Structure formats: C-alpha cells, structure tokens
Amino acid sequence: MRVRLLDIAHARSGDKGDTANVGVLALRPEWYQVLDTYVTRDRVADHFSGLISGDVVRFELPNLGALNFLLHGALDGGGTLSLKTDAQGKVVSTALLRMVIDVPDDLANRLKLPPAPGPRAPVAR
Amino acid sequence: MSAPRVVRVASGQGFWGDWLEAPRRQVTGGPVDYLMLDYLAEVTMSILQKQKERDPSLGYARDFLGAVESVLPAVTGRGVRVVANAGGVNPQACAAAVRALPGGRDAGAKLRIGVVLGDDLLPRLDALIAAGHPLANMETGAPLSTVRDRVLSANAYLGSGPIVEALAGGANIVITGRSTDTALTMAPLRHEFGWAADDYNRLAAGIVAGHIIECGAQCSGGNCLYDWREIPDLGEVGYPIIEASADGTFVVTKHPGTGGRVSTQSVAEQLVYEMGDPHAYITPDVIADFTTIRLAAEGTDRVRVYGIEGRPATPSLKVSVAYRAGFKAVGTLVYAWPDAFDKAQLADRVLRERLDHLGLRFDRILTEFVGAGATHGALAGPPSEDLPEVQLRVGVRGSNRGDIERFTREIAPLVLNGPPSVTGFAGGRPKVEEVVAYWPALIDKRVVQPSVTFQ
C-alpha cells in the first residue's frame, strides 16, 4: 500500500548554519515502526536530491516516536547568507511529509495506515 | 505532610521580536516563581554590536525595558524573579537602563539587578589568537584569522553558573549577555534545588526543560502542525510554564483560561526543533541525551517529562563570532492571472539579461516564484496553470555594494517595460543590507572567566 507521510506523521524543522534538521514524529505510537523501517536515510536523500548539496544523516528517537534528519547544504548557505524565502528551513518539515512510501499490505492493514490519496498525490521516485 | 515543593519557571519571550504581551500575561495569569526571557538568536549579537558602535549606551535588547515595566509590580511586590539574556553586548548598559525606568527608580533597594559578564571576547580576540586559540570555524575548519579584520562581535556561550551566582547573591533581575538559552531556565532550578555541578541527570533535565520553553509558545500550540485546526484560541495563546520538582522531573503547562494547547505532541515537536545528534545535546554544564526523555499526558494542558539522563560536559565553550560578509538585496514583483507564472518567468529572464549587460558581479543570484514552488521546489510538482498570482522574488549577494545597489534599481522599471499584469511594488526600491555572517567556533573553557556584578 502507498502511504503518504503527511497522513501518518507530523514534523518540525529548523536550522543550524547551512544544515536543516527535520524531526518527523509518528501520529500514533504504533506507526513509529513504519517510519523507522521505510523512511531510511537513503530514501530521504533521494527525496531531496537536487534540492540539497550535502549529505543526509538520520537519528532515531524511539522514546518520542520520532526520527531526526540532518540535511546538509539545504539552505543556500544558511543564516544571513541565504537568499531563500525559507532561509531557516522552517518549512522543510512539510516538504518531507510529501514523501510517499510503499508499505506491505498486511502490515499497513494491521496498523490501519491510511492509504495515500488518489492519483494526484506526489509520487516519490 | 506538605506537598513536594514545585518551582515554576515561565517563558515570556522566545526571541527578540516575540509577543510584547506575553511577559505580563505570564506573571498575572497564575502563580510563577521565575520569568525567563530569551532574546538572542545567532545573528542578534552582531546587530547589537553595530548599535553599540553608534551609541556606547546601546547594544542590548531594548524590548526588555518594556517587558520589565510590565512585570515590575510582580517582581517587587510578589517576589517573581526575572532571568533574561537581554544584555546582548552591553549587559551593564541594559541594567542601567532598567534602573533608569520610572519604576526602576521608585523600586530602590527592592530591585537588585545581577549582571553576568565575561562572555564578550571581542576585546581579547587578538590576544587569544596570539596565545594559540585559532577559533577555527566548526563547519569549515578555517582559522578565525582569515576573517579577523571583518569581525564585529565574538561571544562565548556561558552556562548556568554565573546566573546561579547572581540568584544566590539576591538578584531579582538577572541580565546576561550571551548565555545559552537553556541556562536561563536551568539556572533557577539549580539555584532552588541546590543541584550539584556533577548531578548530570538533573542538570540535563533542567536543560531539556529550557529547550522546551526557550521558543515561547512554540511548545504550547504555536507553530504546531499536529491537529493545528483544533488548537483553541491562538489569539489568547498561553506561553509555557515549567513546574519542576527537586528530583529533576517536571510538568510543562500554561495558565488556566489561556489559548493554545500543551500536549505530548506539541512538546515533542518542540523537542526536535533545531536538533542535531539527539544523543549529545551539548551545553556548557552537561551533555543531555534526548533519547532518554519520556513524555506522559497528565490531564488537560499538562505533560509530565521524566527519565532524562546526562553526562559530563566537554572542556570547551562554543563561541559565536559575527563578521561582515558583503551585501545583499531582494526584489519582488507580483504577476496576476492569466498566465501569472509565465509572466513572472519572462520578467526574470528580462531582468537577468539587463543585469548581464550592466556587467554586475554577484557571488550569488537566486530567483524564486512564490506561489509556484518557492519553498518545496520540484517536490511540489508543476504549478497549476490557473494560479491567481505569482510573486517573482530575486535575491543577489556580493562583496561590491555598488553592484547590489544597481540591482535594486532594475526592479521597478519592469513594471512599465516588462511583461504585463504586474503589481505589488508599492514598497519602492529594495533595500541593500549588509550581510553579517555567523562563525561558530570552540574555545577552551579555562580561558573564559564569567563574573557577576550587582546594580
């Protein structure tokens, strides 16, 4: 089943220099395992390819049902150097929530995951 | 048996520019023991340094004076104590300005202002570099000497120690320069409960409490994505309050009858804000492990936080250096339906052609189309063909002020000599801004000696 992160997680992002951090938090405790298994470092790096110039690093916070991603080179130099509207990475959070992941049907059904909305949903590569 | 003692620390400002009503609402809406006010972001110190260069009696967060006026009756009448990093690069001038307020003069001996000094490394910078402290950039590794002649300010992030000393000395207002945001909350708890300098778990708990409330209402319903439509009455949003116990556990809450919401989700969103490695949240006092934090809902707008573990701090302090890094300007125009996006794209091409012909040199030029994918880029997919309007937003940055200045004069002409259906230029020419960049570094703790004075 295709599942959109927006429907199973919430998120907040911030900055540290030219690095944006995105904390992704499961909407239900039992959905954390889905984030942990399917929202991998590589998957997130692929999602943001072309939009960031550096590496992606992932940390796990099972105590909060959360993952924390560092997206290096995400902010056009960051801080005052950046010319971007989102120079401080405040809405990189919802950019990550656009991601659509494939979850095996039996797991998705058992966890009652909401399916991604119709064909117009953004499709991850 | 009396109930276990609880100390209440209220957050009244999350940054310089935050809601002016919040400090007063925090001291009048219910019981609080301490009011914590955080004014300093990374670039704030350099702005304050520029103000101090123009007028030696400035260089602090002037919003703080209004905040003090609005809470002074609670401070002198009910014993609420204020801890703020409003001092910026001139904490003593800030204290003098508080004392000079009408209420400050009247308060006389009822007002004891503790001032934390020692974070300002600017006067010592050359001596420190000569003594073998390279202050290398934590991101690039370059030594500070490469930008030394452009440095505007240099401040070490101080921990809780000097604030505790000021509170122990009887201060009811503590003004610091560059203290860590979290120390403003942790220091009152350490003072009240007598936590030792090696009581790492409790110190870490105080740091986590500080992290949760240092951005004001951002943990109590503000900027909260979770269930945002249902968060009640943001117009009357309640700023957060920590109710801490001696064992290091605490509850995050807000005053009854205020808007917003404190939930495990709102607190968790704030916990991950600006997070690096959650195993090692490094402060001058302790390293807190965010993977040990436990949250539990405890009734309406109450979240219990417990289980936090910490370990000894590093031998270094972080230093924030601000230096001049050229100039920038951003110009915007709004293009309307029909074909708003196409018109904005054509305007961008026309503008860039003219900039090329003028031979202007920029280190960076960036075009965004606000309303057509400025914040999420290609992830947003192709914009709708029927957009009602699109904002063209072009930014340039470079070392030559004249080139940036010339750019600002190329925006308005497009209104009459570029693509049609354009508006939104009433603000006039874009402003040229000096870029003050941030240089994070580390320094040996032993060469930074904080001190406390009283006014």
Side-chain angles (χ1 to χ4, degrees):
Chain A
M1 180 192 286
R2 287 156 45 77
V3 176
R4 187 175 60 166
L5 288 195
L6 179 66
D7 300 317
I8 62 167
H10 58 126
R12 180 170 294 179
S13 54
D15 69 316
K16 196 72 73 183
D18 196 21
T19 298
N21 99 288
V22 187
V24 190
L25 309 108
L27 288 177
R28 296 186 190 173
E30 66 271 24
W31 290 350
Y32 171 68
Q33 61 174 291
V34 177
L35 300 182
D36 188 31
T37 306
Y38 298 99
V39 187
T40 61
R41 189 215 75 91
D42 289 355
R43 196 67 184 68
V44 171
D46 186 43
H47 184 71
F48 284 105
S49 80
L51 297 175
I52 65 174
S53 62
D55 287 341
V56 172
V57 182
R58 185 183 109 147
F59 297 100
E60 296 87 32
L61 294 107
N63 55 316
L64 300 178
L67 300 174
N68 184 42
F69 291 94
L70 302 185
L71 312 179
H72 294 297
L75 301 175
D76 189 43
T80 51
L81 289 169
S82 177
L83 297 172
K84 287 169 80 81
T85 297
D86 191 24
Q88 291 169 315
K90 299 281 188 187
V91 298
V92 181
S93 51
T94 53
L96 179 54
L97 295 180
R98 289 176 175 276
M99 184 190 284
V100 176
I101 53 177
D102 275 311
V103 181
D105 286 350
D106 57 337
L107 179 65
N109 291 330
R110 183 152 41 86
L111 293 174
K112 299 187 166 61
L113 298 182
R120 292 202 58 220
V123 178
R125 288 174 301 265
Chain B
M1 284 269 297
S2 62
R5 192 163 75 100
V6 160
V7 173
R8 293 182 176 82
V9 182
S11 164
Q13 292 283 274
F15 67 105
W16 189 4
D18 203 355
W19 200 22
L20 298 176
E21 300 299 309
R24 181 185 52 77
R25 292 167 62 96
Q26 285 292 58
V27 300
T28 57
V32 302
D33 302 302
Y34 288 85
L35 178 67
M36 178 282 274
L37 305 171
D38 175 21
Y39 287 97
L40 300 183
E42 286 173 351
V43 296
T44 315
M45 298 300 272
S46 58
I47 297 166
L48 294 171
Q49 184 65 40
K50 282 188 186 174
Q51 294 179 359
K52 186 183 173 189
E53 281 171 12
R54 284 194 292 270
D55 180 345
S57 72
L58 297 180
Y60 57 88
R62 276 175 288 175
D63 277 7
F64 180 60
L65 301 181
V68 170
E69 289 230 88
S70 72
V71 303
L72 209 50
V75 173
T76 56
R78 288 190 279 122
V80 174
R81 301 169 93 176
V82 177
V83 182
N85 58 11
V89 295
N90 208 349
Q92 283 171 309
C94 182
V98 168
R99 185 59 81 179
L101 291 169
R105 281 196 302 271
D106 298 345
K110 282 200 278 185
L111 195 61
R112 184 165 165 83
I113 306 174
V115 183
V116 174
L117 302 170
D119 62 301
D120 188 358
L121 303 183
L122 191 61
R124 303 170 56 196
L125 212 47
D126 293 317
L128 286 169
I129 292 171
H133 301 279
L135 292 163
N137 187 304
M138 289 169 71
E139 286 162 15
T140 67
L144 185 64
S145 52
T146 54
V147 297
R148 172 64 189 95
D149 56 334
R150 292 186 277 147
V151 169
L152 279 169
S153 64
N155 297 79
Y157 283 79
L158 303 182
S160 65
I163 303 174
V164 172
E165 189 184 329
L167 293 171
N172 48 10
I173 295 184
V174 181
I175 297 171
T176 79
R178 186 63 277 190
S179 286
T180 61
D181 306 344
T182 49
L184 305 175
T185 298
M186 194 267 259
L189 302 181
R190 198 177 154 192
H191 168 68
E192 290 285 336
F193 296 128
W195 294 340
D198 62 354
D199 195 348
Y200 301 116
N201 291 347
R202 290 187 176 113
L203 296 182
I207 293 298
V208 171
H211 180 85
I212 291 172
I213 66 170
E214 76 185 20
C215 295
Q218 202 175 221
C219 77
S220 56
N223 191 28
C224 183
L225 184 59
Y226 181 83
D227 206 22
W228 66 271
R229 289 180 193 277
E230 306 306 322
I231 293 174
D233 200 9
L234 283 175
E236 296 277 344
V237 66
Y239 274 50
I241 297 164
I242 295 291
E243 293 179 357
S245 301
D247 64 0
T249 65
F250 59 91
V251 169
V252 187
T253 186
K254 62 188 185 68
H255 285 317
T258 58
R261 177 182 289 163
V262 177
S263 64
T264 55
Q265 292 89 354
S266 74
V267 171
E269 275 193 30
Q270 175 57 20
L271 279 172
V272 298
Y273 178 64
E274 290 184 345
M275 180 186 284
D277 178 354
H279 300 281
Y281 186 97
I282 300 172
T283 79
D285 296 289
V286 64
I287 297 175
D289 184 348
F290 274 42
T291 68
T292 61
I293 300 169
R294 313 292 297 187
L295 304 180
E298 194 192 78
T300 306
D301 292 318
R302 292 181 67 81
V303 172
R304 175 162 291 282
V305 187
Y306 60 99
I308 297 158
E309 293 176 15
R311 56 186 190 274
T314 71
S316 307
L317 291 181
K318 191 170 173 183
V319 177
S320 103
V321 179
Y323 66 101
R324 299 179 202 273
F327 304 89
K328 69 177 178 182
V330 174
T332 62
L333 290 170
V334 172
Y335 289 86
W337 186 93
D339 306 313
F341 187 33
D342 291 345
K343 289 166 184 164
Q345 286 179 300
L346 176 57
D348 180 51
R349 288 196 298 275
V350 169
L351 172 65
R352 283 173 179 253
E353 184 186 331
R354 290 176 185 169
L355 297 176
D356 275 350
H357 288 166
L358 288 166
L360 304 183
R361 284 222 292 277
F362 306 118
D363 295 335
R364 178 82 175 133
I365 176 164
L366 179 75
T367 299
E368 291 180 326
F369 298 97
V370 179
T375 56
H376 288 184
L379 291 169
S384 153
E385 286 175 12
D386 205 33
L387 292 172
E389 67 271 322
V390 168
Q391 184 191 56
L392 169 68
R393 183 181 185 277
V394 183
V396 296
R397 176 165 56 77
S399 51
N400 184 336
R401 185 176 188 124
D403 283 3
I404 308 295
E405 192 79 54
R406 189 69 182 80
F407 160 82
T408 67
R409 293 164 187 242
E410 289 297 321
I411 305 296
L414 286 165
V415 171
L416 297 185
N417 70 14
S421 323
V422 57
T423 184
F425 47 86
R429 281 182 188 143
K431 206 169 78 233
V432 177
E433 270 183 87
E434 181 170 27
V435 178
V436 176
Y438 176 68
W439 180 286
L442 295 175
I443 196 160
D444 187 330
K445 257 181 194 169
R446 290 170 299 186
V447 303
V448 179
Q449 275 98 31
S451 63
V452 177
T453 65
F454 294 91
Q455 289 199 10

